[in-house]
């Protein structure tokens, strides 16, 4: 890989697909079976908390035996090499709420849509690591009130996490790489335009062209467990 100094990587569901975690918009994908507008919104949680918590409890259970794949490990190795080489900035932004990047050892990692294995109390904001089933009658371990525990994920209409840091890094990156994302959800789908505006080289690694593919200068199509280790070598 040519000598770049400041890299921002954005991953989506495609990087975890080969670990057995569903993507969203493909045949049989998550949103093909469930309507996100009925499940991944604060209004849905307010209207029918049991159904929404059941949806996330099922995904949490599904995550318990998912393992990081060669793409996750290649990104973790790239981060270590990047820092060993004394290059300036490395940031991995993920839209995924799984813990597979952590399993592979990624450290400079930002979950802009939250984390499935964390629960937050919407009454006192207590945030804790949690593999248990969420239930409306389960009391918050901090404020002991029931009725407030929700998954620490960003729903549609909610503000993504870490945007200030992300835009700061996009403004000075010279390399932007999007991996396994369809580029359908904003503001994440707009990051490539931000990076281009600042003169960064832009690379897309995904299964097949998506909605924002035309905005990237370099493309590698195929499964992430093949394209990512090949590209980072
Ligand atoms: C917000 C957590 C206010 C929950 C998720 C313009 C500007 C700002 C907002 C909007 C806008 N226009 C519309 C909006 C509103 C909305 C939005 O974008 N709606 C869409 C539907 C049009 N956005 C929001 O509400 C966001 N918040 O706007 O706040 C604001 C305003 C201005 C500026 C800032 C803030 C919040 C959105 C977050 C929603 N939460 N997840 C949960 O998981 O349950 S979204 C969820 O869906 C993911 O996090 C991810 O972001 C998205 C899924 O996308 P992908 O990851 O790309 O997955 P997908 O299945 O679509 O694609 C998979 C890809 O992988 C495919 O390309 C496939 O080819 C590829 N693939 C498959 N297998 C492989 C592979 N690639 C490689 N190898 C393989 N083996």
């Amino acid at each position: 890989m040519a000598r770049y100094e400041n890299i921002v990587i954005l991953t989506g569901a495609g990087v975890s697909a080969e670990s057995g975690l569903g993507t969203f918009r493909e045949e049989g994908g998550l949103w093909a079976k469930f309507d996100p507008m009925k499940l991944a919104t604060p209004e849905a949680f307010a209207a029918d908390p049991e159904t929404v918590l059941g949806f996330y409890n099922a995904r949490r259970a599904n995550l318990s035996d998912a393992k990081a794949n060669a793409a996750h490990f290649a990104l973790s190795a790239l981060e270590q090499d990047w820092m060993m080489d004394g290059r300036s900035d490395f940031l991995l932004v993920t839209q995924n709420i799984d813990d597979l990047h952590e399993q592979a050892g990624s450290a400079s990692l930002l979950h802009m849509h939250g984390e499935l294995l964390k629960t937050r109390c919407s009454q006192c904001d207590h945030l804790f690591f949690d593999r248990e089933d969420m239930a409306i009658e389960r009391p918050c371990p901090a404020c002991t009130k029931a009725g407030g525990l929700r998954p620490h994920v960003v729903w549609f209409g909610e503000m993504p996490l870490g945007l200030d840091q992300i835009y700061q890094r996009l403004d000075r990156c010279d390399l932007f790489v999007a991996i396994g994302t369809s580029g359908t959800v904003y503001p994440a789908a707009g990051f490539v335009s931000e990076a281009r505006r600042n003169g960064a080289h832009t690379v897309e690694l995904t299964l097949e062209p998506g909605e924002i593919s035309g905005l990237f200068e370099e493309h590698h199509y195929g499964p992430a467990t093949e394209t990512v280790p090949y590209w980072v070598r």
Side-chain angles (χ1 to χ4, degrees), residues 13 24-25 56 59 95 113 154 157-158 181-182 186 208 224:
F24 289 82
R25 285 167 186 77
Y56 285 95
R59 289 172 68 189
Q95 299 171 90
H113 290 160
V154 176
E158 294 186 322
T181 180
S182 61
Y186 287 85
E208 73 262 325

Side-chain angles (χ1 to χ4, degrees), residues 2-232:
R3 178 86 193 167
Y4 293 101
E5 280 301 320
N6 304 309
I7 185 171
V8 175
I9 299 170
L10 173 70
T11 59
V15 82
S16 297
E18 291 162 271
S19 296
L21 295 181
T23 59
F24 289 82
R25 285 167 186 77
E26 297 180 289
E27 280 302 300
L30 223 41
W31 299 143
K33 291 180 210 138
F34 302 98
D35 177 355
M37 290 306 149
K38 291 203 178 55
L39 284 163
T41 67
E43 294 77 16
F45 179 61
D48 185 355
E50 280 81 3
T51 300
V52 171
L53 293 180
F55 174 59
Y56 285 95
N57 289 338
R59 289 172 68 189
R60 196 175 266 189
N62 186 35
L63 189 47
S64 58
D65 47 16
K67 296 276 173 282
N69 64 48
H72 298 104
F73 283 108
L75 293 174
S76 169
L78 175 68
E79 176 181 356
Q80 282 157 36
D81 296 348
W82 199 273
M83 304 322 278
M84 300 276 278
D85 276 356
R87 302 194 203 197
S88 319
D89 273 356
F90 183 103
L91 180 64
L92 171 53
V93 181
T94 186
Q95 299 171 90
N96 301 337
I97 59 176
D98 62 49
D99 65 338
L100 302 186
H101 283 305
E102 287 89 340
Q103 279 187 32
S106 287
S108 178
L109 172 63
L110 198 161
H111 281 274
M112 67 177 289
H113 290 160
E115 297 172 69
L116 184 54
L117 293 178
K118 287 181 181 167
T119 295
R120 187 174 82 233
C121 175
S122 47
Q123 298 178 71
C124 74
D125 262 349
H126 177 59
L127 177 62
F128 58 105
F129 187 76
D130 184 22
R131 283 186 181 275
E132 306 302 314
D133 275 357
M134 293 166 282
I136 204 69
E137 65 277 3
R138 189 177 149 199
C140 165
C143 71
T144 72
K145 290 195 198 107
L149 294 185
R150 60 166 281 182
H152 179 56
V153 299
V154 176
W155 283 325
F156 288 98
E158 294 186 322
M159 188 62 79
L161 306 171
L163 286 183
D164 289 349
Q165 184 189 356
I166 295 169
Y167 284 116
Q168 261 172 30
R169 293 297 184 91
L170 288 172
D171 288 352
R172 63 168 185 256
C173 77
D174 50 7
L175 179 59
F176 177 77
V177 191
I179 303 173
T181 180
S182 61
T184 40
V185 172
Y186 287 85
F191 291 168
V192 57
S193 305
E194 198 68 27
R196 280 174 68 102
R197 228 190 318 281
N198 299 301
H201 178 57
T202 53
V203 185
E204 180 185 46
L205 306 174
T206 189
L207 208 52
E208 73 262 325
E211 294 186 21
I212 55 172
S213 295
L215 295 172
F216 291 86
E217 291 151 310
E218 185 183 337
H219 305 91
H220 297 272
Y221 294 125
T225 55
E226 289 166 23
T227 59
V228 179
Y230 169 78
W231 181 76
V232 301

